[in-house]
Amino acid sequence: MKKQPQKLNLKGKKITVIGGGLIGASWASLFLAQGMKVVISDPKPDIQDYFNGKLDGNIADLKKLGYTIDSDYKNNLSYIADTASAVQGSDYVQENGPENPAFKQDLWQLIEANSPEHCLFLSSSSGITISQQGTKMKNSSRLLIGHPFNPPHLIPLVEILAKDNDAGVAAAMDFYHSLGKVPVLLHKETPGFVANRLQAAIFRECVSLVADGVVNVKELDDIMTASLGIRWAVGGPFVSFHLGGGDGGFPFFLHHLGPGMELIWKDEMSKPVTYDEKTTQLLDSQVKEHYGNKSLVQLAEERDEHQIALMNTFSKMK
Ligand SMILES: NC(=O)C1=CN([C@@H]2O[C@H](COP(=O)(O)OP(=O)(O)OC[C@H]3O[C@@H](n4cnc5c(N)ncnc54)[C@H](O)[C@@H]3O)[C@@H](O)[C@H]2O)C=CC1
Ligand SMILES: O=C(O)[C@@H](O)C(=O)[C@H](O)[C@@H](O)CO
């Protein structure tokens, strides 16, 4: 019987956010909103201005999602650039540093040496496995993956991975569930975990179709949001194709439409796709042509507004 995550009272619990960039700032906003004591550890000279420029908007997003947030949440925020000092007495560490194995290996060695025995180590890494990150740790099984989707304060999924640490898995599942996230435990390590492997596979074909001139980046995006984006927001690929089999369900789908899909796979894999200079320049120029009329802040605000509206609609349907 699968153990259901428990709702923890995280108020007053201390978490160190290593790396206060795009992902760390979003995480830190959510942790503050939940009443946690948050230490942001980032050597970036302007880290306080950077995070302050993100926090109010992120908190407003969370209130639109129905989070109840104490007005004194900012009192629980501090900044300590020195890693060893920043993890003293921490109950949790959420790591959001550069996606660089050597960086993460050195970092976890330092964190392990300076944090409490009970501290839960969580890495946001997009695809560097525990095995790769923990090479310099005394006990790498203490390290878990808690991989979010950008922006973590909004997108529900957190992919959990552990190595021989059932207690850590339970603690991580409880932690993210208590934050209002949807933690999913993966059963095997694989580079890129699951969501990013899916994303990478689909994006490989997106790049191929644009590089071949079949569509431009805006047409590709419109095709995605007018079809798969809607379909997979309400039902994943397997249940969607179960329905695609009509009265025969998934078995008939495989029998009827499987061979054709295998031919597409063969064609897709026959095409080399790389971010070579020609492709990179083409993609950059088309993204600038179609999306350059708005700032990244405007595009992110539009994205967040639409995602919040979608998630609130889904919440009402539960
Ligand atoms: N960007 C994305 O869409 C997603 C990224 N991730 C993962 O999150 C992690 C962070 O990615 P981003 O936030 O996008 O990168 P980012 O470049 O925005 O942030 C990284 C931060 O780490 C800081 N940093 C550098 N050295 C440091 C040190 N010694 N101690 C503490 N902080 C240090 C930098 O100053 C920077 O603020 C990566 O592992 C990435 O794979 C996960 C999900 C989505
Ligand atoms: O897309 C996301 O938010 C995450 O899955 C990521 O990890 C990053 O986008 C990037 O690593 C995509 O490969």
Side-chain angles (χ1 to χ4, degrees):
M1 179 72 174
K2 193 174 176 181
K3 177 179 177 294
Q4 291 307 311
Q6 302 302 305
K7 182 79 171 170
L8 306 174
N9 178 8
L10 295 173
K11 279 186 187 298
K13 292 290 184 183
K14 181 184 174 184
I15 186 162
T16 303
V17 176
I18 302 286
L22 182 73
I23 296 302
S26 176
W27 269 134
S29 304
L30 178 60
F31 300 149
L32 283 170
Q34 295 289 77
M36 296 185 81
K37 293 190 182 305
V38 178
V39 175
I40 295 177
S41 180
D42 192 319
K44 193 158 56 179
D46 65 339
I47 184 63
Q48 295 195 30
D49 290 343
Y50 175 84
F51 183 61
N52 286 331
K54 297 273 188 179
L55 180 57
D56 292 344
N58 291 349
I59 292 294
D61 287 346
L62 289 165
K63 286 178 177 174
K64 290 173 190 170
L65 274 180
Y67 282 78
T68 303
I69 301 169
D70 293 343
S71 57
D72 65 348
Y73 64 89
K74 289 185 181 179
N75 296 342
N76 291 323
L77 172 63
S78 60
Y79 298 87
I80 303 176
D82 175 69
T83 306
S85 305
V87 298
Q88 296 290 328
S90 292
D91 301 297
Y92 302 89
V93 172
Q94 185 77 37
E95 180 272 323
N96 322 277
E99 188 69 350
N100 172 313
F103 165 81
K104 294 188 192 290
Q105 288 158 4
D106 293 340
L107 181 78
W108 286 117
Q109 182 183 35
L110 189 57
I111 293 171
E112 183 183 41
N114 290 280
S115 57
E117 277 301 311
H118 75 278
C119 185
L120 193 62
F121 297 161
L122 303 161
S123 173
S124 295
S125 174
S126 298
I128 304 175
T129 62
I130 296 168
S131 306
Q132 291 170 297
Q133 293 195 49
T135 53
K136 294 184 177 178
M137 294 177 72
K138 289 177 182 166
N139 178 9
S140 63
S141 70
R142 285 192 63 189
L143 173 57
L144 290 91
I145 298 294
H147 170 245
F149 245 57
N150 179 39
H153 71 283
L154 291 184
I155 303 298
L157 176 69
V158 183
E159 292 177 303
I160 312 291
L161 254 176
K163 274 178 63 184
D164 309 318
N165 186 352
D166 293 344
V169 166
M173 297 293 279
D174 291 348
F175 173 62
Y176 289 118
H177 171 72
S178 303
L179 289 165
K181 311 308 292 177
V182 177
V184 177
L185 176 63
L186 310 185
H187 307 293
K188 279 186 181 179
E189 272 198 327
T190 182
F193 314 133
V194 171
N196 269 344
R197 290 180 73 90
L198 296 176
Q199 189 165 230
I202 291 169
F203 198 63
R204 181 185 190 278
E205 192 51 32
C206 295
V207 171
S208 179
L209 289 165
V210 170
D212 283 354
V214 177
V215 284
N216 65 38
V217 296
K218 180 66 171 62
E219 290 159 347
L220 190 291
D221 282 355
D222 289 345
I223 287 168
M224 177 60 77
T225 53
S227 64
L228 294 179
I230 298 169
R231 169 181 287 177
W232 286 348
V234 298
F238 285 97
V239 70
S240 296
F241 281 154
H242 183 39
L243 295 168
D247 294 342
F250 191 69
F252 183 71
F253 165 81
L254 285 182
H255 166 74
H256 179 214
L257 301 171
M261 188 177 282
E262 285 184 324
L263 290 175
I264 295 172
W265 287 343
K266 191 175 178 185
D267 181 69
E268 287 174 340
M269 291 303 112
S270 71
K271 291 184 169 68
V273 181
T274 61
Y275 291 126
D276 57 31
E277 188 174 350
K278 182 185 174 194
T279 303
T280 301
Q281 284 177 354
L282 176 72
L283 298 176
D284 281 345
S285 64
Q286 287 199 20
V287 168
K288 186 176 179 182
E289 177 190 350
H290 294 282
Y291 296 111
N293 62 324
K294 289 182 181 175
S295 70
L296 287 168
V297 170
Q298 284 175 297
L299 288 169
E301 283 172 354
E302 285 176 13
R303 172 203 65 191
D304 294 349
E305 181 188 344
H306 295 153
Q307 286 178 344
I308 289 166
L310 264 179
M311 289 187 277
N312 281 337
T313 300
F314 290 150
S315 298
K316 290 176 191 139
M317 290 159 64
K318 283 178 184 169

